């Protein structure tokens, strides 16, 4: 739904679909209101409350433990900070795989309780496509997610590049077409070789949004804390750090500790008369 014109206007699913082969779509994750406001005001098209929340914010080793309630709690906070970008919320592990009805109930909860505009779910099997069709029929926009799908990390044997051989590449294209046909409005491609991502991007009429998938995708998504240099142990080849916020935080905290211990802070100008 469009709410006006110019910079205040909300980004819609329809507009994103129309960006296929056009201006690149820019997406970032956010998990709280304050950083969501920075991201939205910075001009991204999509704010994703990713289930990477599990690793980045909650301290889990992967996304498996994340619950629907966790997603709703954080997405509600993010909603308060996002005025313009399209807000997409990840459906966490086992919130859509048990049955299509369960998926509909959980996706409905996410939209109703957070005010998000769309959900994202992982995988490209016929069963997942059937679930996407049911959600789309109910009026819930769905973003797909193919390539490396973090909720299947134990099945795929770790965080690794997918679709490296001809067979896997053909299967990826087939999965993407299945998601398109089911009604997904865009597809995230994670950890996929550049040529495979390019083939998928050419094969479908909906935008692809890459992360570790090269430059041929219709858009790009990154995890905010990774690209800001706050998650300093995570250094995959695809990642560019656009700032070193981790270093700035280190410096700030150390400076505070030293100043308090040295009796330099608080000083007279910080003290009420
Ligand atoms: O959970 C997440 O942050 C994601 C992005 C990496 C696409 O799914």
């Amino acid at each position: 739904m469009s709410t006006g014109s110019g910079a205040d206007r909300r980004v819609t699913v329809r507009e994103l679909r129309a960006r296929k082969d056009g201006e690149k779509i820019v997406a970032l994750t956010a998990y709280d209101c304050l950083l969501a406001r920075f991201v939205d005001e910075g001009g991204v098209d999509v704010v994703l409350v990713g289930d990477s929340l599990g690793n980045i914010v909650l301290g889990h080793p992967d996304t498996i433990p994340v619950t629907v309630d966790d997603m709703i709690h954080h997405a509600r906070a993010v909603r308060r900070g996002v005025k313009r970008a399209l807000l997409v919320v990840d459906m966490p592990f086992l919130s859509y795989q048990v049955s299509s009805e369960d998926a509909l109930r959980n996706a409905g909860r996410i939209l109703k309780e957070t005010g998000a505009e769309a959900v994202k779910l992982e995988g490209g099997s016929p069963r997942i496509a059937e679930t996407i069709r049911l959600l789309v029929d109910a009026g819930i926009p769905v973003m797909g997610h193919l390539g490396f799908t973090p909720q299947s990390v134990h099945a795929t044997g770790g965080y690794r590049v997918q679709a490296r051989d001809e067979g896997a590449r053909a299967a990826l294209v087939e999965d993407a077409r299945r998601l398109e046909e089911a009604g997904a409005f865009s597809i995230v491609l994670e950890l996929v070789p550049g040529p495979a991502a390019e083939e998928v991007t050419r094969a479908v009429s909906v935008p692809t949004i890459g992360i570790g998938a090269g430059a041929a995708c219709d858009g790009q998504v990154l995890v905010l804390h990774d690209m800001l240099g706050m998650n300093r142990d995570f250094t995959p080849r695809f990642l560019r750090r656009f700032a070193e916020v981790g270093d700035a935080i280190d410096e700030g905290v150390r400076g505070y500790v030293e100043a308090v211990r040295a009796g330099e802070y608080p000083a007279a100008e910080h003290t009420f008369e």
Side-chain angles (χ1 to χ4, degrees), residues 104-150:
L104 182 54
R105 214 169 288 119
N106 285 321
R109 260 196 82 196
I110 289 172
L111 257 63
K112 280 161 82 95
E113 294 180 33
T114 71
E117 280 101 16
V119 295
K120 174 165 82 58
L121 47 85
E122 299 180 3
S125 68
R127 189 137 180 243
I128 293 290
E130 189 189 312
T131 298
I132 291 177
R133 192 168 290 117
L134 186 72
L135 301 190
V136 172
D137 282 353
I140 301 175
V142 178
M143 180 181 275
H145 185 152
L146 296 174
F148 176 70
T149 47

Side-chain angles (χ1 to χ4, degrees), residues 29 31 48-53 63 90 120 122 145 150 188 190 211 221-223:
T29 63
Y31 317 99
L48 171 67
V49 186
D51 61 353
S52 50
L53 159 71
T63 62
D90 261 342
K120 174 165 82 58
E122 299 180 3
H145 185 152
V188 167
E190 180 164 0
I211 171 164
V221 60
L222 285 176
V223 168

Side-chain angles (χ1 to χ4, degrees), residues 159-181:
Y159 187 82
R160 61 181 61 193
V161 178
Q162 305 292 304
R164 280 197 180 277
D165 62 62
E166 197 45 53
R169 192 156 139 177
L172 181 68
V173 172
E174 198 180 321
D175 285 356
R177 289 202 172 117
R178 202 179 283 122
L179 295 193
E180 175 191 17
E181 206 179 299

Side-chain angles (χ1 to χ4, degrees), residues 21-272:
D21 300 324
E23 192 185 17
K24 294 265 188 190
I25 295 168
V26 187
L28 276 175
T29 63
Y31 317 99
D32 64 69
C33 178
L34 189 64
L35 288 180
R37 194 174 297 147
F38 276 109
V39 168
D40 190 48
E41 290 175 358
V44 303
D45 303 300
V46 177
V47 174
L48 171 67
V49 186
D51 61 353
S52 50
L53 159 71
N55 328 41
I56 300 291
V57 175
L58 302 179
H60 296 305
D62 49 50
T63 62
I64 308 288
V66 178
T67 66
V68 174
D69 287 340
D70 290 335
M71 296 307 300
I72 288 176
H73 179 77
H74 286 267
R76 285 167 68 112
V78 170
R79 173 77 284 168
R80 294 179 200 119
V82 174
K83 303 253 174 302
R84 185 182 168 277
L86 187 84
L87 180 58
V88 182
V89 178
D90 261 342
M91 296 195 68
F93 183 55
L94 286 199
S95 69
Y96 58 94
Q97 295 95 334
V98 175
S99 71
S100 292
E101 289 71 24
D102 201 32
L104 182 54
R105 214 169 288 119
N106 285 321
R109 260 196 82 196
I110 289 172
L111 257 63
K112 280 161 82 95
E113 294 180 33
T114 71
E117 280 101 16
V119 295
K120 174 165 82 58
L121 47 85
E122 299 180 3
S125 68
R127 189 137 180 243
I128 293 290
E130 189 189 312
T131 298
I132 291 177
R133 192 168 290 117
L134 186 72
L135 301 190
V136 172
D137 282 353
I140 301 175
V142 178
M143 180 181 275
H145 185 152
L146 296 174
F148 176 70
T149 47
Q151 292 172 19
S152 310
V153 63
H154 299 311
T156 50
Y159 187 82
R160 61 181 61 193
V161 178
Q162 305 292 304
R164 280 197 180 277
D165 62 62
E166 197 45 53
R169 192 156 139 177
L172 181 68
V173 172
E174 198 180 321
D175 285 356
R177 289 202 172 117
R178 202 179 283 122
L179 295 193
E180 175 191 17
E181 206 179 299
F185 72 88
S186 62
I187 302 171
V188 167
L189 295 177
E190 180 164 0
L191 287 187
V192 167
E198 189 170 352
E199 197 176 328
V200 173
T201 300
R202 278 204 307 262
V204 294
S205 65
V206 294
T208 57
I209 302 180
I211 171 164
C217 294
D218 302 297
Q220 178 69 45
V221 60
L222 285 176
V223 168
L224 181 69
H225 296 60
D226 297 345
M227 57 79 79
L228 290 183
M230 294 168 80
N231 187 16
R232 288 181 292 191
D233 297 337
F234 186 66
T235 55
R237 172 175 171 168
F238 71 80
L239 181 65
R240 189 207 284 187
R241 286 192 189 164
F242 289 81
E244 293 298 342
V245 174
D247 291 350
I249 292 174
D250 263 351
E251 196 184 314
V253 173
R254 291 211 176 101
Y256 169 70
V257 168
E258 279 168 24
V260 172
R261 293 216 172 111
E264 277 170 24
Y265 176 84
E269 69 265 32
H270 308 117
T271 308
F272 300 107

